[in-house]
Amino acid sequence: MCRQVLGVVFARGHITSLRRTVAEHAAREGLAGPRLEDFVLAVNEITTNAVVHGGGRGTLRLWSQAGRLWCEVSDEGPGLPPGWTAAERPPAGLESGGRGLWLTRTLCDQVMIVSGPRGTTVTFASGPG
């Protein structure tokens, strides 16, 4: 059974308050300690990507299903660059950026990325541990 926990539209300048709201909802859904911190960090990275690369705003949905908390972040940007592939390792050196999707894949149990010319949707999940 799927239960909607949160659904919001967000924009540049509202990531901090969104992160707090997600942390509160995730804690109510049973995430705690490092799992909660990792989930909130992943939310921060993906929502930041949406505002920086995806047109300045996005939508976020949280839901609980099968013992996991799921998050979906969508934007209406140009999508990931042609030929983009999910890196197994973090970007090398002191490059600024390029770590958000890698971190999310590292921190969460499941990650799905769908991207095209009308936007990108990143869906990820974390369980109680």
Side-chain angles (χ1 to χ4, degrees):
M1 180 174 167
C2 177
R3 187 172 53 78
Q4 180 82 18
V5 175
L6 177 67
V8 296
V9 174
F10 63 90
R12 190 177 310 270
H14 295 98
I15 300 297
T16 300
S17 62
L18 177 61
R19 188 174 55 238
R20 279 191 220 112
T21 299
V22 167
E24 291 168 5
H25 282 81
R28 278 188 230 133
E29 293 299 315
L31 290 184
R35 297 294 279 184
L36 174 61
E37 293 167 10
D38 289 350
F39 189 79
V40 173
L41 177 56
V43 167
N44 183 72
E45 292 296 322
I46 300 304
T47 55
T48 298
N49 281 353
V51 297
V52 170
H53 305 291
R57 64 184 210 97
T59 59
L60 177 141
R61 286 188 327 119
L62 285 180
W63 69 94
S64 180
Q65 183 176 18
R68 287 200 164 116
L69 184 62
W70 290 84
C71 180
E72 177 185 86
V73 176
S74 298
D75 65 50
E76 295 177 355
L80 293 166
W84 179 88
T85 58
E88 294 293 323
R89 300 173 191 245
L94 301 174
E95 296 175 29
S96 65
R99 289 176 172 76
L101 290 170
W102 175 82
L103 271 172
T104 300
R105 290 182 69 227
T106 302
L107 298 171
C108 296
D109 299 331
Q110 294 181 341
V111 179
M112 295 167 279
I113 303 166
V114 177
S115 187
R118 293 189 201 175
T120 299
T121 298
V122 180
T123 307
F124 50 97
S126 189

